[in-house]
Amino acid sequence: MRVLVSNSERHNAYEAALALYEADALAKLVTGTYYKRGTPRTKSLEKLLSVAGGSGDLARFRRRRLDGLPDDLVTSIGWPDLVERAWSAMRPLHRLLPAETATYWKNDMFDRRASHRIRGVDAVHAFEQCAEFQLRRAKRIGAVRVLDEPIIFRGLVDRLEAEERDRLGVPSSRPAPGYRTHIDRKFRELELAEYLFTGLEFVRRSYIDSGFPEDRIFLAPYGVDVSTYAPREVAPAGDTFNILYVGQISWWKGLPFLLDVYEQLDIPNAKLTVVGMLHPEWRTYFERRMAKMTRPLNYREKIPHAQMRDELAAADVLVFPSLVGGVGLVTYEAMAAGVPVITSDGDVVIRDGEDGLVAPYGDVAAWSAALSRLAGDRDLRSSLGRAGAERVRSFTWEAYRQGVRDAYGTIAEREGIS
């Protein structure tokens, strides 16, 4: 079986490609900007980023590769990335055309260009937001159409957002140009797909509930590089109970609800640190909300990824009260670092009371009780941290790649492809 993997971003696409390469089934990885050491194009981009790039741009560029994946099996379509980056840097013009629109353009341009690279393959494994034209091309040539869906069914997202806006009294804002086409693309991609890959049970279930055949959805939990976050030996000392939230500042990660909990929390020495970029549509709401907080809140819009280890080392607990799935990359990282986690849904990763604590979204009493329980028991914080660090070792990229290979073994058998 020969599979083409395609995504404009890195995400888990590189690991999916490596999984297929290890099974001698990878035809090509088609991606956006990719770091191929020593090539003239790479050297030119390194020079450009050294002179004109922002803080961290060069380091991010150098991370756009995966050791073990041969460069000759990677096709880089980098110019849509450059269009997005160039427009993002022109902040004075964002009043005319928001940065989100440039991202929509990037995905469309990448998808159209990548579709021309599809030939002589048995399957196309494309990622949502930049898969429509590739899946159409795959259908024309009779290749199996696989869609990788990292987030829940779009119809459910829309319903949850409407409910949350109504609860908070936040009216819908005027969408950026291209938004409707961007959303419609997601539904068209789903209609074209024959198989889905998801990383969480919550995500898988949302597509089953939407009507997608259950036996055509494969669950392959994402991995974490446990070597990057070694578990700490002791919990932080001091009298302050440090609560850490990391994620985009918007509705879907549950921050409005967390602030409700924090305001009512009966822990005098608690301090909340919030790290994340403000979503443009929610900036006004959160700026006003944070300004009215009566308890200490430390907000940091952005920190280097390497500095996240220091943030985790200082935290007594990481909180993740998400509405759209209670496990994200930061929960993996916190567990690997030995930090206890409270989440709205442990999914296939966190077992309540064993590897962390689970409290349903919207249940203020349950969240307050979970936080109070940890605040009053340092030994529990340490034991949950150790258990979480051990648990997350089962969710490595090696395990993810095995899940991908197993799924493609099933697809090949069903489709009669050798």
Side-chain angles (χ1 to χ4, degrees), residues 340-375:
V341 173
I342 304 176
T343 181
S344 55
D345 181 1
D347 211 274
V348 296
V349 181
I350 300 171
R351 298 168 296 188
D352 185 31
E354 296 183 47
D355 321 299
L357 298 178
V358 177
Y361 176 83
D363 191 334
V364 173
W367 272 85
S368 297
L371 285 163
S372 296
R373 184 181 173 193
L374 286 180

PDB file of all heavy atoms in Angstrom, residues 340-375:
ATOM      1  N   PRO A 340       0.359  17.577  38.743  1.00  0.00           N
ATOM      2  CA  PRO A 340      -1.004  17.037  38.743  1.00  0.00           C
ATOM      3  C   PRO A 340      -1.923  17.877  37.863  1.00  0.00           C
ATOM      4  O   PRO A 340      -1.766  19.092  37.756  1.00  0.00           O
ATOM      5  CB  PRO A 340      -1.418  17.106  40.213  1.00  0.00           C
ATOM      6  CG  PRO A 340      -0.533  18.137  40.821  1.00  0.00           C
ATOM      7  CD  PRO A 340       0.762  18.073  40.067  1.00  0.00           C
ATOM      8  N   VAL A 341      -2.887  17.215  37.245  1.00  0.00           N
ATOM      9  CA  VAL A 341      -3.786  17.864  36.288  1.00  0.00           C
ATOM     10  C   VAL A 341      -5.228  17.688  36.734  1.00  0.00           C
ATOM     11  O   VAL A 341      -5.630  16.609  37.177  1.00  0.00           O
ATOM     12  CB  VAL A 341      -3.596  17.245  34.880  1.00  0.00           C
ATOM     13  CG1 VAL A 341      -4.642  17.787  33.912  1.00  0.00           C
ATOM     14  CG2 VAL A 341      -2.189  17.504  34.356  1.00  0.00           C
ATOM     15  N   ILE A 342      -6.001  18.758  36.610  1.00  0.00           N
ATOM     16  CA  ILE A 342      -7.459  18.673  36.721  1.00  0.00           C
ATOM     17  C   ILE A 342      -8.022  19.022  35.356  1.00  0.00           C
ATOM     18  O   ILE A 342      -7.690  20.062  34.782  1.00  0.00           O
ATOM     19  CB  ILE A 342      -8.030  19.648  37.768  1.00  0.00           C
ATOM     20  CG1 ILE A 342      -7.396  19.427  39.142  1.00  0.00           C
ATOM     21  CG2 ILE A 342      -9.551  19.464  37.877  1.00  0.00           C
ATOM     22  CD1 ILE A 342      -7.872  20.429  40.190  1.00  0.00           C
ATOM     23  N   THR A 343      -8.872  18.168  34.841  1.00  0.00           N
ATOM     24  CA  THR A 343      -9.407  18.367  33.503  1.00  0.00           C
ATOM     25  C   THR A 343     -10.902  18.101  33.489  1.00  0.00           C
ATOM     26  O   THR A 343     -11.440  17.464  34.398  1.00  0.00           O
ATOM     27  CB  THR A 343      -8.689  17.445  32.496  1.00  0.00           C
ATOM     28  OG1 THR A 343      -9.200  17.664  31.186  1.00  0.00           O
ATOM     29  CG2 THR A 343      -8.876  15.977  32.860  1.00  0.00           C
ATOM     30  N   SER A 344     -11.564  18.587  32.447  1.00  0.00           N
ATOM     31  CA  SER A 344     -13.004  18.399  32.323  1.00  0.00           C
ATOM     32  C   SER A 344     -13.367  17.024  31.788  1.00  0.00           C
ATOM     33  O   SER A 344     -14.518  16.594  31.898  1.00  0.00           O
ATOM     34  CB  SER A 344     -13.596  19.478  31.410  1.00  0.00           C
ATOM     35  OG  SER A 344     -12.931  19.476  30.158  1.00  0.00           O
ATOM     36  N   ASP A 345     -12.401  16.320  31.206  1.00  0.00           N
ATOM     37  CA  ASP A 345     -12.664  15.008  30.623  1.00  0.00           C
ATOM     38  C   ASP A 345     -11.322  14.296  30.468  1.00  0.00           C
ATOM     39  O   ASP A 345     -10.475  14.730  29.692  1.00  0.00           O
ATOM     40  CB  ASP A 345     -13.359  15.162  29.266  1.00  0.00           C
ATOM     41  CG  ASP A 345     -13.679  13.823  28.603  1.00  0.00           C
ATOM     42  OD1 ASP A 345     -13.380  12.773  29.193  1.00  0.00           O
ATOM     43  OD2 ASP A 345     -14.227  13.835  27.490  1.00  0.00           O
ATOM     44  N   GLY A 346     -11.136  13.198  31.177  1.00  0.00           N
ATOM     45  CA  GLY A 346      -9.866  12.493  31.105  1.00  0.00           C
ATOM     46  C   GLY A 346      -9.674  11.702  29.834  1.00  0.00           C
ATOM     47  O   GLY A 346      -8.553  11.285  29.515  1.00  0.00           O
ATOM     48  N   ASP A 347     -10.763  11.452  29.102  1.00  0.00           N
ATOM     49  CA  ASP A 347     -10.723  10.737  27.833  1.00  0.00           C
ATOM     50  C   ASP A 347     -10.015   9.395  28.002  1.00  0.00           C
ATOM     51  O   ASP A 347     -10.252   8.686  28.999  1.00  0.00           O
ATOM     52  CB  ASP A 347     -10.067  11.599  26.750  1.00  0.00           C
ATOM     53  CG  ASP A 347     -10.629  11.308  25.364  1.00  0.00           C
ATOM     54  OD1 ASP A 347     -10.129  10.385  24.713  1.00  0.00           O
ATOM     55  OD2 ASP A 347     -11.574  11.988  24.945  1.00  0.00           O
ATOM     56  N   VAL A 348      -9.134   9.037  27.067  1.00  0.00           N
ATOM     57  CA  VAL A 348      -8.429   7.755  27.154  1.00  0.00           C
ATOM     58  C   VAL A 348      -7.122   7.885  27.915  1.00  0.00           C
ATOM     59  O   VAL A 348      -6.382   6.913  28.052  1.00  0.00           O
ATOM     60  CB  VAL A 348      -8.145   7.190  25.740  1.00  0.00           C
ATOM     61  CG1 VAL A 348      -9.442   6.880  25.023  1.00  0.00           C
ATOM     62  CG2 VAL A 348      -7.297   8.157  24.922  1.00  0.00           C
ATOM     63  N   VAL A 349      -6.830   9.089  28.412  1.00  0.00           N
ATOM     64  CA  VAL A 349      -5.514   9.354  28.995  1.00  0.00           C
ATOM     65  C   VAL A 349      -5.544   9.406  30.516  1.00  0.00           C
ATOM     66  O   VAL A 349      -4.835   8.657  31.198  1.00  0.00           O
ATOM     67  CB  VAL A 349      -4.937  10.674  28.435  1.00  0.00           C
ATOM     68  CG1 VAL A 349      -3.554  10.953  29.017  1.00  0.00           C
ATOM     69  CG2 VAL A 349      -4.867  10.634  26.912  1.00  0.00           C
ATOM     70  N   ILE A 350      -6.358  10.276  31.092  1.00  0.00           N
ATOM     71  CA  ILE A 350      -6.333  10.538  32.527  1.00  0.00           C
ATOM     72  C   ILE A 350      -7.463   9.797  33.233  1.00  0.00           C
ATOM     73  O   ILE A 350      -8.641   9.994  32.916  1.00  0.00           O
ATOM     74  CB  ILE A 350      -6.448  12.053  32.805  1.00  0.00           C
ATOM     75  CG1 ILE A 350      -5.275  12.795  32.158  1.00  0.00           C
ATOM     76  CG2 ILE A 350      -6.482  12.323  34.308  1.00  0.00           C
ATOM     77  CD1 ILE A 350      -5.409  14.305  32.195  1.00  0.00           C
ATOM     78  N   ARG A 351      -7.104   8.976  34.204  1.00  0.00           N
ATOM     79  CA  ARG A 351      -8.080   8.237  35.000  1.00  0.00           C
ATOM     80  C   ARG A 351      -8.291   8.966  36.327  1.00  0.00           C
ATOM     81  O   ARG A 351      -7.348   9.167  37.080  1.00  0.00           O
ATOM     82  CB  ARG A 351      -7.583   6.805  35.224  1.00  0.00           C
ATOM     83  CG  ARG A 351      -7.418   6.018  33.921  1.00  0.00           C
ATOM     84  CD  ARG A 351      -6.659   4.736  34.101  1.00  0.00           C
ATOM     85  NE  ARG A 351      -5.271   4.974  34.528  1.00  0.00           N
ATOM     86  CZ  ARG A 351      -4.349   4.018  34.617  1.00  0.00           C
ATOM     87  NH1 ARG A 351      -4.653   2.773  34.286  1.00  0.00           N
ATOM     88  NH2 ARG A 351      -3.132   4.316  35.032  1.00  0.00           N
ATOM     89  N   ASP A 352      -9.536   9.342  36.568  1.00  0.00           N
ATOM     90  CA  ASP A 352      -9.862  10.172  37.732  1.00  0.00           C
ATOM     91  C   ASP A 352      -9.403   9.513  39.028  1.00  0.00           C
ATOM     92  O   ASP A 352      -9.750   8.364  39.317  1.00  0.00           O
ATOM     93  CB  ASP A 352     -11.369  10.409  37.773  1.00  0.00           C
ATOM     94  CG  ASP A 352     -11.786  11.366  38.887  1.00  0.00           C
ATOM     95  OD1 ASP A 352     -10.985  12.252  39.228  1.00  0.00           O
ATOM     96  OD2 ASP A 352     -12.911  11.215  39.406  1.00  0.00           O
ATOM     97  N   GLY A 353      -8.621  10.262  39.814  1.00  0.00           N
ATOM     98  CA  GLY A 353      -8.146   9.777  41.092  1.00  0.00           C
ATOM     99  C   GLY A 353      -6.905   8.926  41.017  1.00  0.00           C
ATOM    100  O   GLY A 353      -6.306   8.617  42.057  1.00  0.00           O
ATOM    101  N   GLU A 354      -6.507   8.539  39.794  1.00  0.00           N
ATOM    102  CA  GLU A 354      -5.308   7.721  39.623  1.00  0.00           C
ATOM    103  C   GLU A 354      -4.158   8.518  39.011  1.00  0.00           C
ATOM    104  O   GLU A 354      -3.052   8.544  39.550  1.00  0.00           O
ATOM    105  CB  GLU A 354      -5.617   6.503  38.744  1.00  0.00           C
ATOM    106  CG  GLU A 354      -6.609   5.533  39.329  1.00  0.00           C
ATOM    107  CD  GLU A 354      -6.798   4.332  38.427  1.00  0.00           C
ATOM    108  OE1 GLU A 354      -5.786   3.765  37.957  1.00  0.00           O
ATOM    109  OE2 GLU A 354      -7.964   3.956  38.176  1.00  0.00           O
ATOM    110  N   ASP A 355      -4.429   9.141  37.860  1.00  0.00           N
ATOM    111  CA  ASP A 355      -3.383   9.885  37.141  1.00  0.00           C
ATOM    112  C   ASP A 355      -3.641  11.386  37.153  1.00  0.00           C
ATOM    113  O   ASP A 355      -2.855  12.156  36.606  1.00  0.00           O
ATOM    114  CB  ASP A 355      -3.308   9.427  35.682  1.00  0.00           C
ATOM    115  CG  ASP A 355      -3.484   7.945  35.529  1.00  0.00           C
ATOM    116  OD1 ASP A 355      -2.669   7.191  36.084  1.00  0.00           O
ATOM    117  OD2 ASP A 355      -4.472   7.559  34.884  1.00  0.00           O
ATOM    118  N   GLY A 356      -4.751  11.794  37.728  1.00  0.00           N
ATOM    119  CA  GLY A 356      -5.164  13.181  37.760  1.00  0.00           C
ATOM    120  C   GLY A 356      -6.571  13.245  38.323  1.00  0.00           C
ATOM    121  O   GLY A 356      -7.097  12.239  38.814  1.00  0.00           O
ATOM    122  N   LEU A 357      -7.193  14.400  38.239  1.00  0.00           N
ATOM    123  CA  LEU A 357      -8.564  14.557  38.705  1.00  0.00           C
ATOM    124  C   LEU A 357      -9.439  15.043  37.560  1.00  0.00           C
ATOM    125  O   LEU A 357      -8.999  15.855  36.725  1.00  0.00           O
ATOM    126  CB  LEU A 357      -8.633  15.557  39.861  1.00  0.00           C
ATOM    127  CG  LEU A 357      -7.858  15.178  41.136  1.00  0.00           C
ATOM    128  CD1 LEU A 357      -7.989  16.287  42.180  1.00  0.00           C
ATOM    129  CD2 LEU A 357      -8.342  13.851  41.704  1.00  0.00           C
ATOM    130  N   VAL A 358     -10.671  14.554  37.504  1.00  0.00           N
ATOM    131  CA  VAL A 358     -11.624  14.928  36.459  1.00  0.00           C
ATOM    132  C   VAL A 358     -12.841  15.558  37.118  1.00  0.00           C
ATOM    133  O   VAL A 358     -13.432  14.986  38.036  1.00  0.00           O
ATOM    134  CB  VAL A 358     -12.045  13.703  35.622  1.00  0.00           C
ATOM    135  CG1 VAL A 358     -13.097  14.103  34.583  1.00  0.00           C
ATOM    136  CG2 VAL A 358     -10.838  13.073  34.943  1.00  0.00           C
ATOM    137  N   ALA A 359     -13.203  16.757  36.656  1.00  0.00           N
ATOM    138  CA  ALA A 359     -14.394  17.466  37.152  1.00  0.00           C
ATOM    139  C   ALA A 359     -15.150  17.988  35.933  1.00  0.00           C
ATOM    140  O   ALA A 359     -14.561  18.655  35.082  1.00  0.00           O
ATOM    141  CB  ALA A 359     -13.995  18.615  38.070  1.00  0.00           C
ATOM    142  N   PRO A 360     -16.427  17.709  35.806  1.00  0.00           N
ATOM    143  CA  PRO A 360     -17.183  18.095  34.606  1.00  0.00           C
ATOM    144  C   PRO A 360     -17.190  19.599  34.375  1.00  0.00           C
ATOM    145  O   PRO A 360     -17.286  20.386  35.334  1.00  0.00           O
ATOM    146  CB  PRO A 360     -18.598  17.574  34.883  1.00  0.00           C
ATOM    147  CG  PRO A 360     -18.430  16.540  35.946  1.00  0.00           C
ATOM    148  CD  PRO A 360     -17.272  16.990  36.784  1.00  0.00           C
ATOM    149  N   TYR A 361     -17.118  19.986  33.117  1.00  0.00           N
ATOM    150  CA  TYR A 361     -17.249  21.405  32.772  1.00  0.00           C
ATOM    151  C   TYR A 361     -18.607  21.917  33.248  1.00  0.00           C
ATOM    152  O   TYR A 361     -19.627  21.254  33.076  1.00  0.00           O
ATOM    153  CB  TYR A 361     -17.123  21.602  31.264  1.00  0.00           C
ATOM    154  CG  TYR A 361     -17.338  23.042  30.861  1.00  0.00           C
ATOM    155  CD1 TYR A 361     -16.309  23.960  30.924  1.00  0.00           C
ATOM    156  CD2 TYR A 361     -18.609  23.490  30.496  1.00  0.00           C
ATOM    157  CE1 TYR A 361     -16.515  25.292  30.604  1.00  0.00           C
ATOM    158  CE2 TYR A 361     -18.831  24.818  30.174  1.00  0.00           C
ATOM    159  CZ  TYR A 361     -17.779  25.711  30.232  1.00  0.00           C
ATOM    160  OH  TYR A 361     -17.998  27.025  29.938  1.00  0.00           O
ATOM    161  N   GLY A 362     -18.609  23.101  33.830  1.00  0.00           N
ATOM    162  CA  GLY A 362     -19.852  23.719  34.282  1.00  0.00           C
ATOM    163  C   GLY A 362     -20.209  23.424  35.721  1.00  0.00           C
ATOM    164  O   GLY A 362     -21.089  24.078  36.288  1.00  0.00           O
ATOM    165  N   ASP A 363     -19.535  22.450  36.345  1.00  0.00           N
ATOM    166  CA  ASP A 363     -19.828  22.076  37.730  1.00  0.00           C
ATOM    167  C   ASP A 363     -18.857  22.817  38.652  1.00  0.00           C
ATOM    168  O   ASP A 363     -17.765  22.334  38.960  1.00  0.00           O
ATOM    169  CB  ASP A 363     -19.697  20.568  37.896  1.00  0.00           C
ATOM    170  CG  ASP A 363     -20.251  20.068  39.228  1.00  0.00           C
ATOM    171  OD1 ASP A 363     -20.269  20.863  40.189  1.00  0.00           O
ATOM    172  OD2 ASP A 363     -20.631  18.882  39.304  1.00  0.00           O
ATOM    173  N   VAL A 364     -19.256  24.009  39.100  1.00  0.00           N
ATOM    174  CA  VAL A 364     -18.384  24.843  39.931  1.00  0.00           C
ATOM    175  C   VAL A 364     -18.023  24.131  41.224  1.00  0.00           C
ATOM    176  O   VAL A 364     -16.867  24.167  41.674  1.00  0.00           O
ATOM    177  CB  VAL A 364     -19.065  26.201  40.229  1.00  0.00           C
ATOM    178  CG1 VAL A 364     -18.238  27.008  41.227  1.00  0.00           C
ATOM    179  CG2 VAL A 364     -19.262  26.991  38.943  1.00  0.00           C
ATOM    180  N   ALA A 365     -18.990  23.448  41.829  1.00  0.00           N
ATOM    181  CA  ALA A 365     -18.739  22.759  43.095  1.00  0.00           C
ATOM    182  C   ALA A 365     -17.692  21.661  42.924  1.00  0.00           C
ATOM    183  O   ALA A 365     -16.802  21.500  43.777  1.00  0.00           O
ATOM    184  CB  ALA A 365     -20.038  22.179  43.640  1.00  0.00           C
ATOM    185  N   ALA A 366     -17.787  20.906  41.846  1.00  0.00           N
ATOM    186  CA  ALA A 366     -16.833  19.821  41.616  1.00  0.00           C
ATOM    187  C   ALA A 366     -15.424  20.357  41.382  1.00  0.00           C
ATOM    188  O   ALA A 366     -14.440  19.799  41.890  1.00  0.00           O
ATOM    189  CB  ALA A 366     -17.287  18.983  40.424  1.00  0.00           C
ATOM    190  N   TRP A 367     -15.308  21.444  40.619  1.00  0.00           N
ATOM    191  CA  TRP A 367     -13.998  22.034  40.370  1.00  0.00           C
ATOM    192  C   TRP A 367     -13.418  22.652  41.647  1.00  0.00           C
ATOM    193  O   TRP A 367     -12.225  22.509  41.924  1.00  0.00           O
ATOM    194  CB  TRP A 367     -14.088  23.087  39.266  1.00  0.00           C
ATOM    195  CG  TRP A 367     -13.899  22.477  37.907  1.00  0.00           C
ATOM    196  CD1 TRP A 367     -14.861  21.888  37.146  1.00  0.00           C
ATOM    197  CD2 TRP A 367     -12.675  22.361  37.198  1.00  0.00           C
ATOM    198  NE1 TRP A 367     -14.304  21.401  35.978  1.00  0.00           N
ATOM    199  CE2 TRP A 367     -12.968  21.681  35.977  1.00  0.00           C
ATOM    200  CE3 TRP A 367     -11.366  22.755  37.440  1.00  0.00           C
ATOM    201  CZ2 TRP A 367     -11.990  21.403  35.030  1.00  0.00           C
ATOM    202  CZ3 TRP A 367     -10.391  22.474  36.496  1.00  0.00           C
ATOM    203  CH2 TRP A 367     -10.697  21.813  35.319  1.00  0.00           C
ATOM    204  N   SER A 368     -14.254  23.310  42.428  1.00  0.00           N
ATOM    205  CA  SER A 368     -13.785  23.890  43.685  1.00  0.00           C
ATOM    206  C   SER A 368     -13.307  22.801  44.635  1.00  0.00           C
ATOM    207  O   SER A 368     -12.269  22.954  45.304  1.00  0.00           O
ATOM    208  CB  SER A 368     -14.907  24.706  44.337  1.00  0.00           C
ATOM    209  OG  SER A 368     -15.289  25.790  43.523  1.00  0.00           O
ATOM    210  N   ALA A 369     -14.050  21.703  44.672  1.00  0.00           N
ATOM    211  CA  ALA A 369     -13.676  20.602  45.558  1.00  0.00           C
ATOM    212  C   ALA A 369     -12.358  19.973  45.116  1.00  0.00           C
ATOM    213  O   ALA A 369     -11.504  19.639  45.956  1.00  0.00           O
ATOM    214  CB  ALA A 369     -14.785  19.555  45.564  1.00  0.00           C
ATOM    215  N   ALA A 370     -12.157  19.809  43.811  1.00  0.00           N
ATOM    216  CA  ALA A 370     -10.918  19.214  43.305  1.00  0.00           C
ATOM    217  C   ALA A 370      -9.715  20.099  43.616  1.00  0.00           C
ATOM    218  O   ALA A 370      -8.661  19.618  44.049  1.00  0.00           O
ATOM    219  CB  ALA A 370     -11.032  18.975  41.801  1.00  0.00           C
ATOM    220  N   LEU A 371      -9.875  21.401  43.411  1.00  0.00           N
ATOM    221  CA  LEU A 371      -8.785  22.331  43.702  1.00  0.00           C
ATOM    222  C   LEU A 371      -8.495  22.377  45.203  1.00  0.00           C
ATOM    223  O   LEU A 371      -7.328  22.378  45.622  1.00  0.00           O
ATOM    224  CB  LEU A 371      -9.129  23.723  43.176  1.00  0.00           C
ATOM    225  CG  LEU A 371      -9.018  23.900  41.660  1.00  0.00           C
ATOM    226  CD1 LEU A 371      -9.751  25.153  41.198  1.00  0.00           C
ATOM    227  CD2 LEU A 371      -7.552  23.959  41.229  1.00  0.00           C
ATOM    228  N   SER A 372      -9.540  22.405  46.018  1.00  0.00           N
ATOM    229  CA  SER A 372      -9.351  22.444  47.470  1.00  0.00           C
ATOM    230  C   SER A 372      -8.678  21.166  47.961  1.00  0.00           C
ATOM    231  O   SER A 372      -7.846  21.200  48.880  1.00  0.00           O
ATOM    232  CB  SER A 372     -10.704  22.636  48.171  1.00  0.00           C
ATOM    233  OG  SER A 372     -11.278  23.882  47.828  1.00  0.00           O
ATOM    234  N   ARG A 373      -9.052  20.062  47.372  1.00  0.00           N
ATOM    235  CA  ARG A 373      -8.451  18.778  47.748  1.00  0.00           C
ATOM    236  C   ARG A 373      -6.947  18.786  47.519  1.00  0.00           C
ATOM    237  O   ARG A 373      -6.169  18.355  48.359  1.00  0.00           O
ATOM    238  CB  ARG A 373      -9.121  17.661  46.952  1.00  0.00           C
ATOM    239  CG  ARG A 373      -8.661  16.260  47.298  1.00  0.00           C
ATOM    240  CD  ARG A 373      -9.392  15.255  46.426  1.00  0.00           C
ATOM    241  NE  ARG A 373      -8.876  13.917  46.605  1.00  0.00           N
ATOM    242  CZ  ARG A 373      -9.154  12.901  45.799  1.00  0.00           C
ATOM    243  NH1 ARG A 373      -9.970  13.088  44.754  1.00  0.00           N
ATOM    244  NH2 ARG A 373      -8.622  11.707  46.026  1.00  0.00           N
ATOM    245  N   LEU A 374      -6.533  19.309  46.366  1.00  0.00           N
ATOM    246  CA  LEU A 374      -5.100  19.370  46.058  1.00  0.00           C
ATOM    247  C   LEU A 374      -4.397  20.421  46.909  1.00  0.00           C
ATOM    248  O   LEU A 374      -3.268  20.206  47.363  1.00  0.00           O
ATOM    249  CB  LEU A 374      -4.889  19.674  44.573  1.00  0.00           C
ATOM    250  CG  LEU A 374      -5.166  18.549  43.579  1.00  0.00           C
ATOM    251  CD1 LEU A 374      -4.910  19.035  42.154  1.00  0.00           C
ATOM    252  CD2 LEU A 374      -4.310  17.326  43.867  1.00  0.00           C
ATOM    253  N   ALA A 375      -5.044  21.553  47.105  1.00  0.00           N
ATOM    254  CA  ALA A 375      -4.417  22.627  47.876  1.00  0.00           C
ATOM    255  C   ALA A 375      -4.113  22.182  49.302  1.00  0.00           C
ATOM    256  O   ALA A 375      -3.104  22.604  49.891  1.00  0.00           O
ATOM    257  CB  ALA A 375      -5.321  23.856  47.900  1.00  0.00           C
TER     258      ALA A 375
END
